[in-house]
Amino acid sequence: MESKQFDVVIVGGGIIGSSIAYYLAKENRKVAILEADKIGGKSTSAAAGMLGAHSEYKEFKHLYPFARSSQLLYKQLYEEIRELTAIDFEKRNGGLLKLVYSENEKKELESILSLSSVEWLDNKEARKRVPQLSKEVMGAAYLQEDVHITPLIACNSLSKGAQLFGAEIYEYTRVLAVSKTGMEYSIKTAQGTFLAKNVVIASGVWSNYFFQQLGLSHEIIPVKGECVAAINEGAPLRYAVFHDQFYIVPRNNNELIIGATKKWNDWSENPSLDGLEEVIQKAKKMIPEVGEMKWTRAWAGLRPQTYDGHPYIGEHPEMKGLYFATGHQRNGILLAPATGKMIRDLIIGTPVEKEWLDAFKVERNIFAYGGGK
Amino acid sequence: MESKQFDVVIVGGGIIGSSIAYYLAKENRKVAILEADKIGGKSTSAAAGMLGAHSEYKEFKHLYPFARSSQLLYKQLYEEIRELTAIDFEKRNGGLLKLVYSENEKKELESILSLSSVEWLDNKEARKRVPQLSKEVMGAAYLQEDVHITPLIACNSLSKGAQLFGAEIYEYTRVLAVSKTGMEYSIKTAQGTFLAKNVVIASGVWSNYFFQQLGLSHEIIPVKGECVAAINEGAPLRYAVFHDQFYIVPRNNNELIIGATKKWNDWSENPSLDGLEEVIQKAKKMIPEVGEMKWTRAWAGLRPQTYDGHPYIGEHPEMKGLYFATGHQRNGILLAPATGKMIRDLIIGTPVEKEWLDAFKVERNIFAYGGGK
Amino acid sequence: MESKQFDVVIVGGGIIGSSIAYYLAKENRKVAILEADKIGGKSTSAAAGMLGAHSEYKEFKHLYPFARSSQLLYKQLYEEIRELTAIDFEKRNGGLLKLVYSENEKKELESILSLSSVEWLDNKEARKRVPQLSKEVMGAAYLQEDVHITPLIACNSLSKGAQLFGAEIYEYTRVLAVSKTGMEYSIKTAQGTFLAKNVVIASGVWSNYFFQQLGLSHEIIPVKGECVAAINEGAPLRYAVFHDQFYIVPRNNNELIIGATKKWNDWSENPSLDGLEEVIQKAKKMIPEVGEMKWTRAWAGLRPQTYDGHPYIGEHPEMKGLYFATGHQRNGILLAPATGKMIRDLIIGTPVEKEWLDAFKVERNIFAYGGGK
Amino acid sequence: MESKQFDVVIVGGGIIGSSIAYYLAKENRKVAILEADKIGGKSTSAAAGMLGAHSEYKEFKHLYPFARSSQLLYKQLYEEIRELTAIDFEKRNGGLLKLVYSENEKKELESILSLSSVEWLDNKEARKRVPQLSKEVMGAAYLQEDVHITPLIACNSLSKGAQLFGAEIYEYTRVLAVSKTGMEYSIKTAQGTFLAKNVVIASGVWSNYFFQQLGLSHEIIPVKGECVAAINEGAPLRYAVFHDQFYIVPRNNNELIIGATKKWNDWSENPSLDGLEEVIQKAKKMIPEVGEMKWTRAWAGLRPQTYDGHPYIGEHPEMKGLYFATGHQRNGILLAPATGKMIRDLIIGTPVEKEWLDAFKVERNIFAYGGGK
C-alpha cells in the first residue's frame, strides 16, 4: 500500500482524539484518526459523562477556567453536532446534587458553594428534588451547570462530524512506531505507513508506549474505575447525585449508572467482585432503595493519571509538530472540547492562554505542582 | 396479602399498556399495570420505532386519521414527558425515505405521494440526502413527518410519567385469571388478587389467553420480526430508509437498526439464521456498504396480528368495564398514544370518533373488513 | 391444525420435564414436551448443579434414600447419555467441602459426618485440598459423592436423548388450558391443541396456574436465588465449597459459580444489587481472594418451594392420568432422575416405594410434615 | 517494582503460549506468561477447536507428521490435565465428515482417503451418521481421528496446569519492548520490567510489532474468520461436518459452532454482516435445517498467516535465547502441543526432528516453500 499523507494524524480515537479531529477538520485540515480498537471503545465508553466543572472544582484548583470553558463549549457543540450529523448526544439537563452528610463535609464544599451558579439545599429541599435520598443526607450543593451526556455517543458524533468535514477514521489500526524524517512524521501500522506533518498522541493510559518510543520518561498510571448499572424501578431520578467520589447518574433508557472505584495501577479492564461490592455499598448510602433494583451490567475503565493530576496538552520538548493530549484522569469527557480546541490552536497557530500552556506542557517541572490527589 | 383496589387495572406493560396508564393516571384515575415480565421487555423493545403514519398509509386505508392523530400526539408527548420525567425518548427528526426501484413501485406510492407532507425525490435528490443509497434506487418518497423514536425509552418514560401521577407498576406479575363479581373485577395473580372497576387487556400476542378465559373466540396471530444491528462506520445516516417492508433506522449510538422479517405464527422470540440472512440481503439492496459493517446484535419480536389487520380497541361485548387494546400489528409504537387516549375516553366517558369505535370494536363483523395484509 | 395425539404430554421442559420425557420415551411411550420458553431456559439454567444428596441431608430427613437413589442414577445416566447423544454433561468429580467455622457448626454436621462416604477434614487437611480457603475455616466435611454437573447441558442432553427415542419437543409453546373429555386430556396452546392419555405438570414455580385451573388450592412459592460468576485467576479449584447455604462451584471454563441468596416470594428473574452484594460477601468468607477476581455475569433463578419442603410427585386426587412433578425447591437438578423414573413407574404401572408415594403425594395431609423451612 | 527474574518469559497467553508454558514448567523451568489481555481471550477463544490433522492434510504437505504428533499429544494431555487440574477440556470424540458434492471433489480427497484411519462413506452411510445432511451430498470422507475440543477451556487448563508447576501468569500486561543486555533479556511492560534468560514471542497476529522491534522484516497477515452459533433444535449432531473450508461443530451446550470466512488483512475483531451471510449460506448447504435454528451469538478471530503457510517455530537468527512460536494460521489449536513441546526441547537442549527445524525456522529461505495459499 502506498503511504497516505495527512496534515495531522491523531493516534487514539477516544473522546479526546475525536474532539481534536473535529476541531481540526472543521478548519480544513486533512486529518486521520488511527484507533487500535473501535472509536470510543475503551475508557470513553466506560465513563459516566458528568460535565463536572464545579463538582471537580477542588481538583481543578486554578484551572477551573479551563474546565469551565470546556463545559460551555459543550453547549455549542450539542446544537452544532445535532445540526451537522442528526445525532443527539443526550445532554441531560438537571445537573448534580453533591451530597453532604455532616458539618465537616459541608465545610469542604465552601469554595464550591461560593460559586454563583451553585446553590445550597438543606435536607428538605434536597429531598424535594430527589425524594429517594437517604435520610442521613444533611443537605446538598446543587450544581445546575454540571449536566451529563452519554460519552460514547458524544465521541461517535464528534468523529462522525469530523468525517463530514473530510477526516478519515481508521479503526483496528494499531500504531507500531512514530518516527521523523526531515519535516515529516511517518506513522507505522500493521496496515501500512501514514505520513503527516503533525502527530497527536491521544491514547489515554496507552500513551506510555509512545512516551517511551519518543524518548520521554513520562508515565501515565491507570486508575481503574468499576461501575454497575441497575434498572430504576421507582420514580425517575431527575438529577445525578454524588458523594465521596461516587455517583448515580440516570440515563434515558431507565438505567442508573453507578460508579466508580479508584484502583491505582490496575490494568485489567474488567470489574472485580470487590469493586462491585464497594460500588453497591456507596450507592446505597446515597439512595437506599438502589439495593432492591435489578442489576443490568457491570464494566470498568482505565483513567489516565499523571504525576500531578494535570493532563499533558502540548508539544514534545524536542520534536516539533508532535503533540500529546493525554492524562485527563477522571475528567476526559468534560475536558475533551477545550483540549480539542487547544490542540487545534497550537497546530494552527492561534494564541492559547498562557496559564494553560504552562500548566499542561509536557516538559513541565515536576516540582511545580502539588500532585493530583 | 390483602387485595389492592384500583379504578383501572391494565394487564400488560408494553407501550400500549403504558400509554393507557399514562393517560388515565393524568386524569386522576387510580391505575395499576400488571406486567408478567419487565416494562416494555417484549415486542416493544424489539420494535424499530418508526412513526410511519404515511409510510404505512396503504395499510391504514380509511384509518389514516387515527394513525395521523397518534403521530401528532407524539409531538406533544415528547415535550410533556421530558418536562415531567427529565427523560428524552429520542425522537429523531429527519423522517423516512421510501425507496423506489421501478416505475411500477413508484405507481404503488401514488396515494402516498399525493399527501401534502410527502415529497418525491429523484435519484439525484435522494442520494443527496442519503449518499450511501444503492445506485439501483430510482427515487424515493420523502416522508418528513415519519420520524422515529426509541420504543423502549418511550415506553419507560410513559410508565414513569404514569407513576408520577400515582399509578402503580407491578413487574414480574403474571395474571392467572380475570373474573367479575357484581360490579367489580378481580384479577388473580401469583402475587395476590387485585380488584378494579375496569380492566384493560393490553397483552399483545399474549392476549389470546384472556380472550379464551373471558369467553371470546378471538385470536391474535404472532408475526415474528427478526432484526440485526450494525455499527455505522461511514458518514452518519440522517434518515431512515425503507423498501419492501424492510428498513434501516439510525440511532444516536451509531447503530443501524435493520429489520424485519415476517414469520407468521412463529412464537419463538429469537431470530433464526434464515431470518438474519434475509434481513442482511434486504439491507444491502438499499445500502450496499451495510455488508461491510460490523454486527452488534440480533433479536426478534412478535407482532400481534388480527384477522383483518385492525387492532381491537374497545369493550368486551358482554362484560361492561372490561376493555381490550391489542392487535396493533406492526404499528404498536405509532398507535400507542391514540390508543391510550381512546381507552381513557371510553373509561371516562368522553366521546370517541364513531368511525374508530366501529373499526376497532371487539365484536365487529368479521366480514366487514378486507384483511390486513 | 389437526390435534396431535400422544401417550403423555409433559407441560414444562426444565430438567424435571426432560428427565420424565427421557424415561418414558425409552419405554416406547409417545411423548411430547410443551415448553413455554426454551428447553431448560429458566430455573434449570440458573442452578449450580450440585448433586448434594449428602450436603442437603438435613433437608431430606427420612427421604435421603430418594435423593441418594437419584444421585446414583446420575452415574448411569452420564454414560448412557454420552453413548446415545455424544453429549458429555460435564459431571465433575471431586465432590464438595462443607465448611465449618466453629464447634457449634461442626456439631450441626454430626449426622452428615456419620455417613460412611463422608470424611472429616481438619483445617490443615481442608487447606491441602483447597489452599485458597479462608484461615478462619476450622475444618470441613468432605462429601466426595456430592459431585456437580452443568444443569443446562444435562437438561438438553436428556431432552435430546428423549428425541432420539421418538419424543417431540415443542418450544415456545405455552399451555393455555388442560381439560379432560372422557378418558382423554386435551391440552390447549396457542399453536393448537394436543391430545394425550396422560398429562404431567412439571412447570416449577409456574405450576400454580395449573393447580388453580385444575381445581386445586396448592401453591408453589418462588424462592429467588441470585448468583454471580467470576474468572478464577488463581490455581484451579478442584472441589466445590459450601457454607451457610452459599457455594462456590468451579466449571471447566474457568468460571467460579457463586450463589445463592434466598428471596421468598420474589418473582423477578433478575438479580438485585443487594443480592449481588450478599453473594460476594459470603463467597469472600469462604475464599477471600474471590474478591479480586473479575466478574463475568450475574443471574437469578426461581426455586419452586412447597409448604413442607417436599416436592409434589404424584397423581391429581381426582383426575386420573394427570400428574404433578413440581416443587423440588433447591434440589431440582439432583432429584430429576429419581423424579423422572418415579413418574414413569406411576404411568407404566411399575411399583414405587410406598414411603415416597406418601411423602410426595399431591393430596397429602398438610399437617403430616414438619415444613421445609 | 523490582524486576522479576525468570528462566523463560513467554509473550502471549493464547493456546500456543499456554502450551509452551505448560511443557516448560513441567520441566521445572521458572516461567512467566505476559498476556496483554486475558488468557486465551483473542484468537484462541474464537476457534472451533477441530484437531484436523487429516482434514487439513493437503495444507500440511510433508509436515503431516508434525500435525499428527500434535493430535496424538492431545490424547495424553487430556488425561494428564484432567488429573492435574480437575478440568475436562471437552474433547469430543466422533470425528469429522468431510463432505463431497461431486466426483471432482471426491478426487481432491484422494490423498486423504488413502490414509488408513480415513474411511469413505457413500451418501447412504453418511446420512446414517448425520441424518440432517443435505440431499446433495454425494458422500463423505470420515476422519475419525479428527475430534474436536473447546479451545478456550484447553488453553485455560494448560495455563492452570503450568501454574500448578510454578509458572506465573500476568494478564493485562502489555509488553512495550524486548531488549538484550549481556546474556539476559529485559522485557519492559507498563507494570514493570521482567528479566529472563529466554524469551518466546507467541503473540499470533500481534507478533509483527516484535519482529520489527527485534530487527526482522517478517510479517504476519491476519486472516479474519467470522462465525455464528445456533441452537441445535433437532436431533444431536454426533460429528463435525466440513466442506469447502466451512464447518459445523457441535458443542455439549447444544450450540452448533458455524464458521468461518477468510478475510485477508482484516484486523477488525468483529464479524461483518457480509461475513454472517456467507457463513449461514455455507452451513445451509451442508445441513439445510440449520436455517431454521435460532441464532445465539456471532464473533470473529484473527488467524496469523505467514507468507508460506508454515508457522515460525525457532530461534531468532542473531539473538540467542529469543524464540518465536507464531504464524500457525488456521491450525493453532491443533498444533499447540507439538509447538509447546518443540520450544521446550529447543530451550532445554533436547534434539528436535531436523525436518521440522528446517520447515519452521525463522530465517528460512522464502523461496524454498510453495506458499500456504
Side-chain angles (χ1 to χ4, degrees), chain D residues 98-346:
Chain D
K98 203 158 183 170
L99 307 183
V100 162
Y101 289 75
S102 67
E103 286 298 340
N104 259 359
E105 283 186 8
K106 188 174 175 187
K107 202 167 274 172
E108 281 177 36
L109 292 187
E110 255 169 24
S111 56
I112 294 178
L113 285 166
S114 70
L115 296 170
S116 68
S117 69
V118 176
E119 185 185 348
W120 170 253
L121 308 177
D122 64 17
N123 176 294
K124 206 169 147 189
E125 283 163 337
R127 291 171 63 85
K128 210 185 291 171
R129 279 191 171 75
V130 182
Q132 305 97 325
L133 280 186
S134 161
K135 278 165 194 166
E136 289 171 35
V137 168
M138 208 186 90
Y142 174 39
L143 286 57
Q144 65 186 8
E145 292 284 305
D146 288 14
V147 302
H148 57 271
I149 62 171
T150 300
L152 181 54
I153 298 181
C155 176
N156 269 317
S157 68
L158 286 165
S159 82
K160 284 271 171 287
Q163 270 179 296
L164 291 175
F165 286 128
E168 298 182 18
I169 313 289
Y170 296 86
E171 293 181 295
Y172 306 103
T173 302
R174 184 181 297 280
V175 173
L176 302 178
V178 175
S179 59
K180 192 170 188 177
T181 321
M183 294 297 286
E184 196 168 54
Y185 285 92
S186 131
I187 301 100
K188 186 160 184 197
T189 77
Q191 284 92 317
T193 295
F194 294 75
L195 302 173
K197 286 195 278 292
N198 299 279
V199 173
V200 186
I201 305 297
S203 305
V205 296
W206 297 276
S207 302
N208 284 336
Y209 169 64
F210 298 103
F211 282 130
Q212 164 179 331
Q213 203 246 312
L214 296 162
L216 299 176
S217 60
H218 294 59
E219 208 177 351
I220 305 278
I221 304 285
V223 181
K224 185 165 90 166
E226 294 153 298
C227 301
V228 301
I231 289 294
N232 179 13
E233 289 162 359
L237 183 63
R238 297 185 61 96
Y239 305 86
V241 297
F242 189 97
H243 181 251
D244 189 21
Q245 314 215 343
F246 283 78
Y247 48 75
I248 304 178
V249 173
R251 286 263 191 276
N252 280 337
N253 70 353
N254 205 20
E255 271 189 338
L256 300 180
I257 304 300
I258 306 173
T261 60
K262 293 177 88 166
K263 302 264 176 83
W264 280 74
N265 210 15
D266 182 339
W267 287 87
S268 68
E269 296 172 58
N270 298 87
S272 67
L273 297 193
D274 276 342
L276 300 190
E277 188 190 2
E278 187 182 355
V279 167
I280 293 169
Q281 287 170 348
K282 297 284 188 175
K284 283 161 67 178
K285 201 183 162 187
M286 295 187 270
I287 296 185
E289 73 189 52
V290 160
E292 292 155 42
M293 293 179 187
K294 302 303 171 298
W295 164 94
T296 56
R297 55 202 175 95
W299 67 96
L302 304 186
R303 307 181 193 96
Q305 175 78 29
T306 61
Y307 77 97
D308 65 356
H310 286 168
Y312 296 121
I313 309 174
E315 208 165 7
H316 188 288
E318 284 157 27
M319 298 172 82
K320 271 201 78 70
L322 179 65
Y323 297 86
F324 289 90
T326 183
H328 290 74
Q329 206 199 347
R330 56 187 287 146
N331 290 301
I333 307 304
L334 169 61
L335 302 179
T339 302
K341 192 160 167 279
M342 180 166 161
I343 290 285
R344 177 201 69 187
D345 290 343
L346 290 172

Side-chain angles (χ1 to χ4, degrees), chain B residues 108-373:
Chain B
E108 282 178 35
L109 291 188
E110 254 170 26
S111 56
I112 293 177
L113 284 167
S114 69
L115 296 170
S116 67
S117 69
V118 176
E119 188 184 344
W120 171 251
L121 307 178
D122 64 18
N123 175 293
K124 208 170 145 188
E125 284 162 336
R127 290 172 63 86
K128 210 185 291 168
R129 279 190 171 78
V130 181
Q132 304 96 325
L133 280 186
S134 162
K135 277 165 195 164
E136 288 171 35
V137 168
M138 208 186 90
Y142 174 38
L143 285 57
Q144 64 186 9
E145 292 283 307
D146 288 15
V147 301
H148 56 272
I149 63 171
T150 301
L152 181 55
I153 299 182
C155 176
N156 269 316
S157 68
L158 285 165
S159 82
K160 285 271 172 284
Q163 270 178 294
L164 291 175
F165 286 128
E168 297 182 18
I169 313 288
Y170 296 85
E171 293 183 294
Y172 307 101
T173 303
R174 185 181 295 280
V175 172
L176 302 179
V178 175
S179 59
K180 193 170 188 177
T181 323
M183 295 294 288
E184 197 168 54
Y185 285 93
S186 131
I187 302 99
K188 184 157 186 200
T189 79
Q191 283 93 317
T193 296
F194 294 76
L195 302 174
K197 285 196 280 292
N198 299 280
V199 173
V200 186
I201 305 298
S203 306
V205 296
W206 297 278
S207 303
N208 284 337
Y209 168 63
F210 298 104
F211 282 129
Q212 164 178 332
Q213 201 245 312
L214 296 161
L216 299 176
S217 60
H218 294 61
E219 207 177 352
I220 304 278
I221 304 285
V223 181
K224 185 164 89 164
E226 294 153 300
C227 299
V228 301
I231 289 293
N232 179 12
E233 289 161 0
L237 183 63
R238 299 183 60 96
Y239 306 86
V241 297
F242 190 98
H243 180 253
D244 190 21
Q245 313 215 343
F246 283 79
Y247 48 76
I248 303 178
V249 173
R251 286 262 193 275
N252 281 335
N253 70 352
N254 205 21
E255 271 187 339
L256 300 181
I257 305 300
I258 305 173
T261 59
K262 294 177 87 166
K263 302 264 177 81
W264 280 75
N265 209 14
D266 182 339
W267 287 87
S268 69
E269 297 173 56
N270 297 86
S272 67
L273 297 193
D274 276 341
L276 299 190
E277 187 190 4
E278 186 182 357
V279 166
I280 293 169
Q281 287 170 347
K282 298 284 187 174
K284 283 163 67 178
K285 203 185 161 185
M286 295 187 268
I287 296 185
E289 72 188 53
V290 159
E292 292 155 41
M293 292 179 187
K294 302 305 171 296
W295 165 92
T296 56
R297 55 202 175 95
W299 67 97
L302 304 187
R303 308 180 192 96
Q305 175 79 31
T306 60
Y307 77 97
D308 64 357
H310 286 168
Y312 296 118
I313 310 173
E315 208 164 6
H316 188 287
E318 282 157 28
M319 298 172 83
K320 271 199 80 66
L322 178 66
Y323 296 86
F324 288 90
T326 183
H328 290 74
Q329 205 199 352
R330 57 187 286 144
N331 289 301
I333 307 303
L334 169 61
L335 300 180
T339 302
K341 197 162 163 276
M342 182 166 160
I343 290 285
R344 176 201 69 187
D345 290 343
L346 289 172
I347 287 177
I348 284 181
T350 313
V352 173
E353 290 275 343
K354 174 78 170 53
E355 196 188 17
W356 303 351
L357 281 174
D358 290 348
F360 305 148
K361 73 180 174 193
V362 175
E363 78 280 26
R364 65 186 177 251
N365 185 332
I366 74 159
F367 303 108
Y369 291 93
K373 60 156 293 123

Side-chain angles (χ1 to χ4, degrees), chain C residues 14-232:
Chain C
I15 199 162
I16 299 295
S18 297
S19 172
I20 296 168
Y22 179 74
Y23 278 104
L24 281 164
K26 209 175 145 188
E27 297 298 321
N28 297 314
R29 287 336 184 249
K30 196 166 155 37
V31 172
I33 296 179
L34 309 184
E35 164 55 47
D37 197 82
K38 281 172 290 185
I39 290 292
K42 296 284 191 173
S43 306
T44 295
S45 62
M50 281 177 303
L51 306 183
H54 306 91
S55 78
E56 300 277 303
Y57 187 67
K58 235 175 94 185
E59 208 90 350
F60 293 128
K61 284 171 222 108
H62 53 298
L63 290 164
Y64 166 73
F66 185 72
R68 177 63 175 154
S69 80
S70 204
Q71 196 184 49
L72 293 171
L73 283 173
Y74 263 118
K75 294 196 185 190
Q76 275 175 42
L77 275 177
Y78 176 69
E79 300 299 342
E80 187 176 316
I81 287 286
R82 197 162 59 164
E83 183 63 32
L84 179 66
T85 68
I87 300 171
D88 177 324
F89 59 66
E90 302 185 358
K91 185 160 67 69
R92 179 131 157 184
N93 298 322
L96 180 110
L97 267 66
K98 202 158 184 171
L99 307 182
V100 162
Y101 289 74
S102 68
E103 286 297 343
N104 258 358
E105 284 187 7
K106 188 175 174 186
K107 202 167 274 171
E108 282 177 36
L109 292 188
E110 255 171 23
S111 55
I112 293 177
L113 285 166
S114 69
L115 296 169
S116 68
S117 68
V118 177
E119 186 185 347
W120 170 251
L121 308 178
D122 65 18
N123 176 294
K124 208 170 146 188
E125 285 162 336
R127 291 173 62 85
K128 209 185 293 171
R129 279 190 172 75
V130 183
Q132 305 98 323
L133 280 186
S134 162
K135 278 166 194 164
E136 289 171 35
V137 168
M138 209 186 90
Y142 174 39
L143 286 56
Q144 63 186 9
E145 293 283 306
D146 288 13
V147 301
H148 56 273
I149 63 170
T150 301
L152 180 55
I153 299 182
C155 176
N156 269 316
S157 68
L158 286 165
S159 81
K160 285 270 172 286
Q163 270 179 295
L164 291 175
F165 286 128
E168 298 182 19
I169 313 288
Y170 296 86
E171 293 183 295
Y172 307 103
T173 302
R174 184 181 296 280
V175 172
L176 302 178
V178 174
S179 57
K180 193 171 188 177
T181 322
M183 294 297 287
E184 196 169 55
Y185 284 92
S186 134
I187 302 99
K188 185 158 184 199
T189 79
Q191 284 93 315
T193 295
F194 294 74
L195 302 174
K197 285 195 279 291
N198 298 280
V199 173
V200 186
I201 304 296
S203 305
V205 296
W206 296 278
S207 302
N208 284 336
Y209 169 63
F210 298 103
F211 282 129
Q212 165 180 331
Q213 203 246 310
L214 296 162
L216 299 175
S217 60
H218 295 60
E219 207 177 354
I220 305 278
I221 303 285
V223 181
K224 185 164 88 166
E226 293 153 299
C227 300
V228 300
I231 289 293
N232 179 12

Side-chain angles (χ1 to χ4, degrees), chain A residues 38 78 81-93 152-153 156 160-161 163-164 169 171-172 231-238 251-254 294, chain B residues 38 78 81-93 152-153 156 160-161 163-164 169 171-172 231-238 251-254 294:
Chain A
K38 281 172 290 184
Y78 176 69
I81 287 287
R82 197 163 58 164
E83 182 62 30
L84 179 65
T85 66
I87 301 172
D88 178 324
F89 58 66
E90 302 186 357
K91 186 160 67 67
R92 177 130 160 186
N93 298 324
L152 181 55
I153 299 182
N156 268 316
K160 285 270 172 286
Q163 270 178 296
L164 291 175
I169 313 289
E171 294 182 293
Y172 306 102
I231 289 292
N232 179 12
E233 288 162 0
L237 183 62
R238 298 184 61 96
R251 286 263 192 275
N252 280 335
N253 70 353
N254 206 19
K294 302 305 171 298
Chain B
K38 281 172 290 186
Y78 176 69
I81 286 287
R82 197 163 58 164
E83 184 62 31
L84 179 66
T85 66
I87 301 172
D88 178 324
F89 58 66
E90 301 186 358
K91 186 161 68 68
R92 178 132 158 185
N93 298 323
L152 181 55
I153 299 182
N156 269 316
K160 285 271 172 284
Q163 270 178 294
L164 291 175
I169 313 288
E171 293 183 294
Y172 307 101
I231 289 293
N232 179 12
E233 289 161 0
L237 183 63
R238 299 183 60 96
R251 286 262 193 275
N252 281 335
N253 70 352
N254 205 21
K294 302 305 171 296

Side-chain angles (χ1 to χ4, degrees), chain C residues 293-310:
Chain C
M293 293 180 187
K294 303 303 172 297
W295 164 93
T296 57
R297 54 202 176 95
W299 66 96
L302 305 187
R303 308 180 192 95
Q305 175 77 31
T306 61
Y307 77 97
D308 64 357
H310 286 169

Side-chain angles (χ1 to χ4, degrees), chain A residues 21 35 85 95 107 163 168 205 237 267 287 334 341 354:
Chain A
E35 163 56 46
T85 66
K107 203 168 274 172
Q163 270 178 296
E168 297 183 17
V205 295
L237 183 62
W267 287 87
I287 297 186
L334 169 61
K341 196 160 164 278
K354 174 77 171 54

